[in-house]
């Protein structure tokens, strides 16, 4: 079959975009500190309350910077924010291993939170707009599902490498490898294509912010799509930080923790890869997906056995898939103006809900086991599933 001249550049452009995106996502999550940093905090002498306060500080930083950074991404270059952010994380990781202390951990999480805010909204908006320019916006869910899967492959590769690297050089070795991964992520981000025109000179940031918020106020279905993102992504995104403690509670040695975490993230990776075909699920299908994930999470966490982590992996796969689908619904409902801003508004909701989960975990963790806390925090997904099912019945 002969391709038309118009299709050849479009195909080449899409390949460049997706190759850069997948490489960026893989390197961004290829951080050997991921499976052991909760253990680093505990080994430094931090209590569960102190560890939870660090996670909360991480999210609070995102709350403060999320929407302003999204408006900034609409006002200037999104690619600029995507390579600047990983440099902040590199500095934070270096602090953790050079001067391990509560203050250094806190500053590192502030830098990491700033990095997350810079990328949140900017990445989704850049990818959607570039796909739309190439006539491929309908493939956004498939592309982002694969991108998130690439990120999780990076997480799993880091988990597989963390064990031997940690055994060889301890926390300094895994910290150095994590800093290097951040630098490579920043270098990869410079290769993103970007053809959009930022706002005109003048008060560009304020104009981008006003435009995005006005769109959300004027469209009820858009507001619902914005709210669905935190409802789906916040709880399991927060529980992710406690999975090493859940795994350790099953009675395995610390050396096996990274490998059992690998099992959990294999499930999440599979969920990302299913995003393309699953986009046809609809509201009732999404409700069923969340309900099954909630039940699997509760059953697996309460088992108290390593084998129960298989169900936790199934749950994380369902939640990852639901997160991609919620993001795709949001992007399809946003007009071009203010895309990064509105995506960041959804991200703000996620950060606020995540802070609440960290607080709840700190309270519940003082009274019950990690498995029990995971099961209790599966309940919000059942509530969301019921609300979605009710909305689907109303539409019918």
């Amino acid at each position: 079959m002969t391709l038309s001249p118009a299709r050849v550049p479009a195909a080449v452009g899409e390949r460049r975009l997706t190759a850069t995106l997948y490489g960026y996502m893989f390197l961004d999550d290829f951080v050997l500190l991921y499976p052991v940093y909760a253990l680093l905090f505990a080994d430094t002498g931090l209590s569960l309350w102190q560890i939870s306060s660090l996670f909360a500080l991480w999210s609070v930083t995102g709350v403060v910077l999320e929407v302003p950074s999204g408006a900034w991404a609409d006002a200037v270059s999104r690619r600029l924010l995507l390579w600047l952010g990983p440099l902040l994380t590199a500095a934070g990781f270096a602090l953790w291993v050079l001067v391990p202390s509560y203050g250094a951990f806190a500053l590192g999480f502030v830098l990491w939170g700033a990095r997350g805010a810079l990328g949140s909204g900017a990445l989704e908006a850049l990818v959607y707009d570039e796909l739309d320019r190439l006539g491929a916006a309908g493939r956004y869910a498939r592309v982002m599902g694969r991108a998130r899967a690439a990120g999780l492959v990076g997480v799993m590769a880091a988990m597989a490498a963390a064990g031997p690297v940690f055994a060889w050089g301890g926390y300094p070795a895994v910290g150095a490898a994590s800093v290097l991964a951040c630098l490579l992520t920043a270098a990869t981000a410079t290769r993103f294509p970007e053809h959009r025109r930022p706002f005109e000179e003048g008060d560009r940031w304020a104009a981008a912010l006003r435009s995005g918020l006005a769109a959300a106020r004027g469209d009820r279905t858009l507001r619902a799509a914005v709210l669905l993102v935190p409802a789906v992504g916040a709880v399991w995104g927060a529980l992710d930080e406690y999975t090493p403690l859940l795994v350790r509670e099953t009675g395995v040695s610390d050396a096996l923790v990274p490998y059992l975490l690998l099992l959990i993230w294999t499930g999440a990776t599979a969920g990302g890869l299913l995003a393309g075909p699953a986009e046809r699920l609809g509201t009732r299908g999404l409700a069923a997906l969340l309900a099954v994930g909630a039940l699997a999470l509760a059953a697996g966490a309460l088992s108290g056995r390593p084998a129960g982590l298989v169900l936790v992996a199934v749950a994380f796969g369902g939640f990852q898939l639901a997160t991609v689908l919620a993001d795709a619904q949001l992007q399809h409902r946003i007009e071009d103006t203010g895309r990064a801003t509105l995506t960041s508004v959804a991200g703000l909701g996620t950060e606020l809900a995540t802070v609440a989960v960290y607080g709840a975990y700190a309270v519940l963790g003082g009274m019950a086991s990690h498995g029990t806390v995971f099961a209790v925090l599966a309940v919000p997904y059942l509530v969301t599933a019921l609300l979605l099912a009710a909305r689907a019945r109303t539409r019918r």
Side-chain angles (χ1 to χ4, degrees):
M1 182 177 68
T2 303
L3 295 177
S4 67
R7 291 293 300 163
V8 173
V12 171
E14 186 176 346
R15 282 197 298 270
R16 177 191 171 187
L17 172 65
T18 55
T20 303
L21 174 64
Y22 301 157
Y24 178 86
M25 296 292 282
F26 175 87
L27 290 169
D28 194 37
D29 282 321
F30 185 66
V31 177
L32 272 63
L33 274 169
Y34 278 172
V36 298
Y37 68 70
L39 307 181
L40 169 62
F41 302 157
D43 291 344
T44 305
L46 272 60
S47 66
L48 180 60
W49 268 102
Q50 287 177 308
I51 294 174
S52 293
S53 72
L54 289 174
F55 294 154
L57 177 62
W58 186 13
S59 288
V60 167
T61 304
V63 166
V64 173
L65 298 178
E66 183 76 40
V67 175
S69 67
W72 189 22
D74 280 330
V76 294
S77 167
R78 293 164 180 168
R79 181 171 54 200
L80 168 66
L81 274 60
L82 293 177
W83 67 256
L84 178 61
L87 299 182
L88 300 179
T89 314
F93 289 159
L95 281 173
W96 285 5
V97 294
L98 291 175
V99 284
S101 61
Y102 183 83
F105 297 149
L107 180 55
F109 270 120
V110 169
L111 293 172
W112 199 354
R115 180 264 177 276
L118 291 177
S120 175
L123 179 67
E124 294 87 349
L126 184 148
V127 172
Y128 191 91
D129 283 348
E130 289 299 316
L131 286 173
D132 191 38
R133 185 183 68 86
L134 297 169
R139 289 197 285 274
Y140 175 81
R142 183 184 301 273
V143 169
M144 288 305 296
R146 291 176 177 176
R148 292 182 185 276
L152 292 174
V153 169
V155 172
M156 293 189 293
M159 289 175 180
V165 173
F166 182 78
W168 172 71
Y171 293 118
V174 294
S178 301
V179 170
L180 177 60
C182 292
L183 298 178
L184 292 174
T185 304
T188 303
T190 63
R191 293 187 51 80
F192 273 117
E194 186 175 23
H195 295 84
R196 63 178 288 274
R197 292 175 56 189
F199 278 74
E200 298 298 328
E201 293 295 332
D203 194 6
R204 297 187 297 177
W205 178 85
L209 183 60
R210 286 195 300 269
S211 175
L213 296 180
R217 287 195 300 268
D219 188 334
R220 182 178 178 181
T221 61
L222 179 56
R223 288 198 304 273
V226 168
L227 291 173
L228 182 61
V229 172
V232 169
V235 175
W236 83 279
L239 291 179
D240 163 30
E241 307 306 325
Y242 298 96
T243 49
L245 302 177
L246 176 69
V247 172
R248 178 188 265 179
E249 192 177 68
T250 64
V252 301
S253 66
D254 286 354
L256 288 177
V257 169
Y259 299 105
L260 289 173
L261 290 175
L262 187 65
L263 169 66
I264 294 174
W265 290 109
T266 298
T269 302
L273 291 174
L274 291 171
E279 196 170 12
R280 297 187 294 271
L281 278 177
T283 303
R284 295 180 67 184
L286 183 59
L289 179 65
L290 291 175
V292 170
L295 295 175
L297 179 63
L302 287 173
S303 72
R305 299 174 179 273
L309 298 175
V310 174
L311 288 175
V312 177
V314 170
F316 272 42
F319 297 148
Q320 174 71 286
L321 173 57
T323 300
V324 175
L325 295 179
D327 172 54
Q329 287 185 24
L330 174 61
Q331 298 303 327
H332 289 319
R333 284 175 169 80
I334 299 175
E335 298 298 332
D336 178 65
T337 302
R339 183 176 302 282
T341 303
L342 281 170
T343 305
S344 289
V345 170
L348 173 62
T350 301
E351 294 293 349
L352 289 171
T354 299
V355 171
V357 175
Y358 289 149
Y361 202 106
V363 173
L364 295 171
M367 301 182 293
S369 67
H370 292 290
T372 301
V373 179
F374 268 66
V376 170
L377 291 175
V379 173
Y381 284 113
L382 290 176
V383 174
T384 302
L386 290 173
L387 292 174
L388 287 173
R391 188 173 75 177
R393 285 196 298 270
T394 301
R395 286 179 176 176
R396 292 186 64 188

